[in-house]
């Protein structure tokens, strides 16, 4: 039995997770998968009500008793300093040592490609973003805050171990999926120390994968090339902040943030899956958010848990929703969040084969 914790979070995170859960429930029932879902009530509402973000004992329980976490999104105007979001999101990413942020940049339909003379086939690569250190390591401080002499420092933390393991993960993924090229992107020309380490580690790790072409691009050149000729990329590996930025650009190449899925992974351990988008507060509760990124993310989670066939069927159903414009406005349809997920479920049901079985465990709340 696999155990999945579900944290819907804030804003449209709640809307899209509710719909993604319907897809998950359907797949679990129809295929009789041994997956138990546990809803966890963490997010801005809980923080404002009880002052609770993510208690250390819960993080421990997730580490010990769960196989995956499905997260919606975090961020609420009533918590402007984002304290709860930092505790929950970074608590999970750092606390569970989820060093791989795997972000597929795959466009599912020609109609969604924003570039002239390009098709969906030109947008099909994955980004491996380092996820536990770099400029997001929260090392630094403010000196003489609020005075004219103020100094603010964020340290860029790059460890040999941290850099090497994300590079190795990118090459291993390329080898496992038959991809032939890994592009490492840094800013070694300006960041002479931190990214010199990336350069040296990249050369060393690449030597262990002789069948895979190791390419280097500075991050400014990478963004330019992603727009000019995205078809040249297969696997991109980069640091935490550049990965954050280039995957938003990647999301636009695949049809927008409503289409971009991601996994926060430590191979062999409990890992966390979330759409790339945030909580988009202005759309919260209005039945307009695109649930497809969250649904694709649920597919990724199933794949990680070993249910690869089901992941692929979910992708097929999502592709069909986009192709037939049975989707939300941001991707050219005129359905709401709920109706889009209903279409995905209706398309998925015959693909899953046969009537739903009733043996699956029901959701528990805690
Ligand atoms: N991982 C996370 O939880 C995460 C990631 C990014 C931002 N945030 C937080 O979310 C809040 C809002 O941030 P933001 O506005 O910069 O980013 P956002 O991703 O929430 O939204 C940016 C814009 O993208 C579009 N969009 C995003 N998701 C969509 C969807 N599913 N369907 C349709 N359109 C969608 C909307 O036009 C939206 O205004 C902030 O509090 C931010 O800190 C959280």
């Amino acid at each position: 039995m696999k155990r999945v914790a579900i944290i819907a979070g804030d804003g449209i995170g709640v809307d899209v997770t509710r719909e993604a859960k319907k897809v998950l429930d359907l797949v679990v029932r129809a295929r009789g998968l041994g997956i138990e879902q546990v809803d966890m009530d963490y997010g801005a509402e809980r923080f404002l009500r009880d002052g609770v973000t993510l208690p250390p004992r819960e993080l421990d329980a997730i580490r010990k008793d769960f196989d995956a976490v499905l997260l919606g999104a975090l961020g609420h105007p009533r918590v402007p300093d984002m304290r709860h979001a930092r505790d929950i999101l970074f608590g999970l990413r750092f606390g569970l040592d989820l060093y791989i942020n795997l972000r597929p940049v795959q466009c599912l339909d020609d109609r969604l490609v924003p570039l002239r003379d390009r098709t969906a086939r030109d947008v099909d690569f994955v980004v491996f973003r380092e996820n536990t250190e770099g400029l997001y390591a929260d090392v630094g401080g403010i000196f003489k805050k609020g005075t004219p002499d103020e100094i603010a420092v964020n340290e860029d933390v790059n460890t040999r171990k941290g850099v090497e393991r994300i590079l190795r993960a990118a090459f291993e993924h390329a080898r496992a999926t038959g991809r032939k090229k890994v592009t490492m992107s840094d800013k070694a020309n300006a960041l002479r120390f931190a990214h010199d380490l990336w350069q040296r580690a990249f050369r060393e790790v690449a030597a262990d994968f002789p069948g895979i072409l190791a390419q280097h691009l500075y991050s400014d050149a990478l963004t330019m090339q992603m727009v000019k000729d995205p078809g040249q990329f297969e696997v991109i590996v980069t640091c935490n902040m550049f990965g954050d930025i280039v995957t938003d650009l990647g999301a636009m190449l695949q049809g927008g943030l409503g289409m971009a899925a991601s996994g926060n992974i430590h191979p062999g351990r409990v890992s966390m899956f979330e759409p790339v988008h945030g909580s988009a507060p202005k759309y919260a509760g209005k039945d307009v958010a695109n649930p497809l990124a969250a649904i694709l993310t649920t597919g990724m989670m199933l794949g990680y848990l070993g249910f690869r066939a089901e992941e692929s069927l979910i992708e097929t159903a999502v592709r069909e929703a986009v192709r037939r414009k049975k989707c939300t406005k941001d991707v050219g349809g005129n359905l709401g969040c709920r109706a889009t997920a209903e279409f995905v479920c209706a398309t998925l049901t015959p693909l899953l084969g046969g009537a739903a079985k009733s043996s699956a465990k029901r959701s528990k709340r805690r």
Side-chain angles (χ1 to χ4, degrees), residues 30 36 41 49 78 96 124 129 136 183 219 226 276 296 302 335 340 357:
E36 181 189 2
D41 176 22
R49 198 171 65 234
R78 286 183 62 208
L96 301 175
D124 184 9
R129 164 189 173 191
Y136 294 10
T183 304
S219 53
M226 278 173 66
V276 171
L296 289 167
L302 286 172
L335 298 184
T340 299
K357 295 176 193 160

Side-chain angles (χ1 to χ4, degrees), residues 20 26 28 52 81 86 96 112 155 200 231 234 294 313 334 353:
L26 171 69
V28 166
V52 168
D81 67 356
R86 258 200 322 279
L96 301 175
L112 299 186
E155 298 283 359
R200 285 180 285 116
E234 298 187 40
L313 293 177
N334 58 12

Side-chain angles (χ1 to χ4, degrees), residues 12 16 71-77 82 85 89 93 103 244 248 256-259 274-283 288-293 328 330:
I12 63 163
V16 299
L71 181 81
L74 294 158
H76 195 289
M82 295 285 288
L89 189 62
R93 283 184 184 166
R103 296 187 161 187
D244 192 0
D248 263 35
L257 280 166
M259 297 302 298
E274 52 168 345
V276 171
H277 65 73
S279 59
K282 66 181 176 197
Y283 294 144
V288 294
N290 183 349
L292 296 179
T328 46
D330 57 306

